[in-house]
Amino acid sequence: MLDEFSPPMQAATAERLASRASSTRLIAADLASPAWLDEVEPYAPFDAIVSGFAIHHLPDDRKRELYGEVLRLLTPGGTFGHIEHVAPESAWMREAFDAGMIDSMHAHAQRRGDGISRDEIATTYAGRADRAANILAPLAAQCHWLREAGFVDVVVPFRWYEIAVFGGRRPL
């Protein structure tokens, strides 16, 4: 399943999975409403469902609904995991995350010899267009929503400020 409406990203995904074309099906679907299930349910149940940086664009009520929909698509014992932007619990965490991102981008620019100053990168980073599209929810709330939907063994194996890998398992 592909929830990516950027044609270049769709093309890159198709290219990466070309060697697995016989066992892979790409489906463009919009997670913003339950209608995405119409495209996916014929192929369910799944042993695993993975999401990367998509759910944080949905309103919190929709995130909660989506977690229940994902659970229903899994086989008993199936797992759901995703890497996602989450709301920082404090201004300090937001500032530390932003500083880390800016420092990393600046170091990358330095290695490439781009000659871009850290201040220029910080200005571009602060004004980036995708920032307004982010609807971040606290990690604790999202783990609660997973449990509320019926997931068990909800875990957070990795977190770096605003980035978290988390998920759970459908009960047997």
Side-chain angles (χ1 to χ4, degrees), residues 21 27 35 44 117 127 136 147 150 158:
I27 301 169
S117 73
L136 306 184
R147 289 183 192 96
F158 175 80

Side-chain angles (χ1 to χ4, degrees), residues 32-64:
S33 81
W36 75 280
L37 291 166
D38 295 339
E39 301 295 325
V40 177
E41 280 180 318
Y43 305 100
F46 302 103
D47 294 326
I49 296 175
V50 179
S51 172
F53 299 114
I55 296 173
H56 72 279
H57 294 295
L58 302 174
D60 290 352
D61 288 345
R62 181 65 193 130
K63 288 179 181 85
R64 292 174 83 170

Side-chain angles (χ1 to χ4, degrees), residues 25 34 57 67 88 91 114 127 134 147-148 150:
R25 179 175 307 273
H57 294 295
Y67 291 152
D114 291 343
N134 293 344
R147 289 183 192 96
E148 183 179 75

Side-chain angles (χ1 to χ4, degrees), residues 46-48 74-80 151 168-172:
F46 302 103
D47 294 326
L74 289 168
T75 59
T79 59
F80 170 59
F151 282 93
R169 183 177 61 80
R170 181 177 174 166
L172 294 173

Side-chain angles (χ1 to χ4, degrees), residues 98-99 101-107 109-110 115-128:
D98 289 346
M101 291 296 291
I102 292 164
D103 288 345
S104 178
M105 293 164 72
H106 183 243
Q110 293 284 4
I116 301 171
S117 73
R118 187 184 186 287
D119 287 343
E120 290 172 303
I121 290 171
T123 299
T124 301
Y125 177 79
R128 70 191 193 281

